[in-house]
Amino acid sequence: MLPTLALSSPGPADILALVVLIAVAVISWKFQALTLSGSLGMVGMGVVLAVVGGWEWLVPIAVFFISSTLLGYLQHDDDESAERRDIWQVLSNGVVPTLGCLILLFGEEYRATAITVYIGAVAATNADTWATEIGMRFGGGTRDIVSGMAVAPGSSGGITGIGTFAALMGGVVIAVSSAVLDLPCIEGKHCLFFMSIAGWIGSMVDSLLGS
């Protein structure tokens, strides 16, 4: 059964959010945080989120982008440029959250599922990024998550104590930022705790798969 499109006209807040999104994309390109294709990809996904879900859906993924960009500079000296993200890197981080938002097209009764998929995906991505960037910079000795043997920093499957804690905090930050959405509830309570843990678990699973 095909979804029934029930998109409302964008309001002033949605339009303002899109203007800010475009401005951030241009600034990110000018300051070499994104390539041109990466900037266009970010705008494209942002438009989908704003049109289908509303401006609120831009907040969690914006928190991820800003925090991950700032943390990326921790890995580089003053005379070394941080890696610019191209469209493939943008898509790898944003395609699952965007697909989660698109679940809304199947009807309002799927809103809880859409939010859960969206926030879970963003939280997992943010947790993994925080674990990598903070763990490599401040984590000290790196060990394989399965064998416990020492490995080189940045190795697939490698974790540090500080990086693991950073992963949890990365999930918490996204969960808190998602409070602007109408989060699904369990026994009358918002699922901020569960979203945070989901982000941390996603990061750990990624390390396990890379081990």
Side-chain angles (χ1 to χ4, degrees):
M1 179 179 178
L2 293 176
T4 301
L5 299 180
L7 301 179
S8 58
S9 300
D14 300 322
I15 296 175
L16 177 60
L18 289 174
V19 171
V20 172
L21 171 68
I22 294 172
V24 170
V26 172
I27 292 172
S28 299
W29 173 56
K30 287 290 186 180
F31 283 86
Q32 300 187 346
L34 293 172
T35 64
L36 179 58
S37 67
S39 296
L40 293 175
M42 185 177 76
V43 171
M45 287 191 297
V47 169
V48 172
L49 294 174
V51 171
V52 176
W55 68 268
E56 299 92 342
W57 289 70
L58 292 172
V59 175
I61 205 162
V63 170
F64 157 70
F65 173 74
I66 293 171
S67 66
S68 62
T69 299
L70 293 176
L71 287 174
Y73 287 103
L74 290 176
Q75 299 300 321
H76 303 276
D77 299 325
D78 294 337
D79 59 348
E80 184 181 0
S81 298
E83 180 184 5
R84 300 179 71 182
R85 297 178 183 175
D86 58 22
I87 190 169
W88 299 113
Q89 291 168 305
V90 171
L91 289 176
S92 68
N93 291 324
V95 67
V96 175
T98 303
L99 290 175
C101 181
L102 289 174
I103 294 175
L104 291 172
L105 296 178
F106 288 89
E108 190 63 24
E109 64 270 27
Y110 295 100
R111 175 170 290 273
T113 300
I115 293 175
T116 300
V117 173
Y118 173 72
I119 297 302
V122 178
T125 300
N126 199 58
D128 185 63
T129 300
W130 281 36
T132 300
E133 301 295 351
I134 295 177
M136 287 183 63
R137 184 69 172 182
F138 305 108
T142 304
R143 294 188 176 276
D144 185 88
I145 191 172
V146 175
S147 67
M149 297 181 61
V151 295
S155 300
S156 295
I159 62 171
T160 64
I162 291 178
T164 301
F165 178 74
L168 178 59
M169 291 299 98
V172 169
V173 166
I174 295 301
V176 171
S177 72
S178 69
V180 296
L181 299 173
D182 185 17
L183 291 176
C185 299
I186 294 179
E187 297 181 355
K189 297 181 179 180
H190 286 303
C191 299
L192 294 180
F193 172 77
F194 299 99
M195 296 294 184
S196 302
I197 295 301
W200 180 80
I201 291 175
S203 175
M204 294 300 100
V205 169
D206 182 73
S207 295
L208 282 170
L209 293 176
S211 177

